[in-house]
Amino acid sequence: MAFYKELLTLCTFEENEIADQKQRIERAFEILGLGREDMERTEARIKKYYAIELLGVRKAIGLWLRELFDLVLAKEEGKNVIYFGYPPPISIGYIIKHATKPGNDYYIGCPEALLCQVLGQFFDKLTPVLERGESQGFPPGHAMCGLLQVRSGALEMGIIPVPDLAIGGSFYCDMGPKADELMHYRYGHHVEYLDSTMDSPWGSWPDYDPEKIKFLAAQINKLFKTLKDKFGIEITDDIYEEGIVGLMQYFMAVYELNQHLLADPCPLSFTDAGLLLNLGGCNTGVSIEEGPEAVQILSKEVAKRVEEGYGVVPKGAPTVLTNIPSFADPAFNTLINEVGLAVPLTAFLLPPPETPPPPYPFTTLAEKLAERFISGSIFPGAYGAIKFFAEGLKSTKVDGVIYNYQLNCRPCVCKSKLCKEYIDNETGLPMLLLEMDIYDNRNYSVSSLRTRLEAFSEMLLAKKAEENKGII
């Protein structure tokens, strides 16, 4: 029996699929440097951290693995390779994939996020990639983002192919384009930068300077021209709208599942739920094609758990919204439930607040995309992101907020304490600022995080008991 068969079977690979894909599976594991012992250890980790009794969970893990195989084999299988960074700009990766002509094979994705999930959470083999990245111009102790270290290290190790095009930009993080430029000089691939202004005056959101829209729109048009000239890919209004419909099928399935997570007791662990948040955001291939079905299966399984009263924490446990799950470390994600906290939501699933329509006549596709990008979610700058966060919290029912962030991310660090103060004034919700690293588990101690999370959990329990006493 092949050394990987038991693991892949656990992750919903069919026997005939394993047989038919034997050569490419073994070639992928060869490139990744993964052997028999890795399969056994990974199988044990998956059984430890994930609810493998749920078919939807196992299908989601299987989709992550299939995406990894497609990534590492892309160039050998004759595909054009396009990378985008994290967080992904304006869903551009999936839109490009949707615009490719049938028969023109492309791999389009965010490789560093994919590697964090699979090599980090599943195989526990991310550290060598991070260390190689540190030796290639991203030294430790210099506030370098782990994602940038992962992409650089993976390129240097030959784990991922050199892309034909990388899409970067300073729309969120100023380190991203600097890293892209360094890798461009080292490996020679083309980089298209989507530059933008990263911040705005405090108190201005949802208003903005229309010149920001025009500037970013010009950057997007520059990318569209490169795609057409280099690959013959043309992005039109119709292509964009069709593509968004396809992408939203995945996220609508996630939102449907999320409604079940609001039950008391919470029926699904934070670790299992975290499998799905980036599956459709970082990948554009089989995850989008088969992801909605996997999420729908899981949604039905979780609905049954709700009917049976099953919970991963006791009924009445405090509920918290977290900023984001760890990409690389299931031990942290599991820890939040272990200390008795339910996690029905993350910041990315908050309902968007109502915003006024744009006061300016943006007519071109690039301008419309730029306006959506700058006016929503985490991208309007510190004040806009905090306000967006606070307004979303007002429409949810949680007992507290865990704002976990990586110490080497300037956008997260710079607004963290402002966010805590603003949320406290606007909502009165207790917020725990949790300094860690969602890409690199070497930068924190799980035991020290446990101490802080246990104290926060006890405080929320005491607060709930006091509130219930007042109701009685």
Side-chain angles (χ1 to χ4, degrees), residues 242-453:
E242 291 170 7
I244 286 297
V245 169
L247 185 61
M248 287 307 296
Q249 289 178 351
Y250 177 83
F251 286 106
M252 288 303 295
V254 173
Y255 289 133
E256 179 185 339
L257 169 65
N258 182 244
Q259 297 309 302
H260 298 308
L261 304 189
L262 300 173
D264 184 17
C266 184
L268 192 68
S269 77
F270 187 42
T271 310
D272 292 317
L275 279 172
L276 306 169
L277 294 179
N278 284 318
L279 184 61
C282 301
N283 305 308
T284 67
V286 67
S287 295
I288 298 299
E289 297 165 7
E290 301 181 18
E293 180 188 9
V295 180
Q296 288 161 6
I297 290 172
L298 182 58
S299 186
K300 291 178 182 178
E301 292 175 314
V302 173
K304 184 177 180 182
R305 281 186 166 189
V306 173
E307 291 176 6
E308 296 170 349
Y310 176 90
V312 295
V313 291
K315 186 176 178 63
T319 58
V320 295
L321 179 142
T322 60
N323 187 32
I324 191 170
S326 171
F327 283 45
D329 186 10
F332 168 76
N333 297 335
T334 302
L335 176 61
I336 297 180
N337 293 137
E338 287 179 349
V339 302
L341 296 172
V343 188
L345 286 169
T346 71
F348 285 102
L349 292 174
L350 279 175
E354 292 186 11
T355 56
Y360 309 101
F362 299 125
T363 56
T364 69
L365 175 60
E367 287 177 338
K368 293 175 185 176
L369 294 180
E371 195 280 329
R372 292 176 196 174
F373 192 63
I374 284 178
S375 66
S377 190
I378 62 174
F379 300 110
Y383 176 80
I386 292 170
K387 183 74 173 177
F388 194 96
F389 192 43
E391 292 301 312
L393 279 171
K394 289 178 183 178
S395 62
T396 65
K397 292 182 180 180
V398 293
D399 299 304
V401 179
I402 297 174
Y403 191 91
N404 60 308
Y405 61 93
Q406 56 275 25
L407 289 169
N408 52 15
C409 176
R410 282 200 283 274
C412 287
V413 171
C414 291
K415 68 174 182 279
S416 59
K417 293 176 177 59
L418 289 170
C419 185
K420 186 178 189 305
E421 181 178 346
Y422 192 89
I423 295 298
D424 182 58
N425 291 335
E426 288 288 308
T427 69
L429 287 171
M431 176 184 281
L432 172 65
L433 292 179
L434 202 62
E435 304 85 3
M436 51 167 301
D437 193 315
I438 60 174
Y439 312 124
D440 186 351
N441 62 7
R442 301 172 302 166
N443 291 338
Y444 59 89
S445 161
V446 171
S447 59
S448 65
L449 295 183
R450 179 184 291 274
T451 300
R452 297 189 63 196
L453 285 166

Side-chain angles (χ1 to χ4, degrees), residues 81-134:
V81 177
I82 300 175
Y83 293 155
F84 55 86
Y86 191 91
I90 53 175
S91 305
I92 194 64
Y94 183 68
I95 302 306
I96 297 171
K97 186 66 175 286
H98 184 73
T100 58
K101 298 176 182 177
N104 291 345
D105 228 354
Y106 285 81
Y107 174 84
I108 303 170
C110 179
E112 53 268 39
L114 174 54
L115 291 172
C116 276
Q117 177 70 47
V118 183
L119 291 187
Q121 287 211 30
F122 303 158
F123 286 95
D124 192 24
K125 299 280 282 191
L126 191 63
T127 298
V129 183
L130 288 161
E131 290 175 343
R132 183 62 70 89
E134 289 171 345

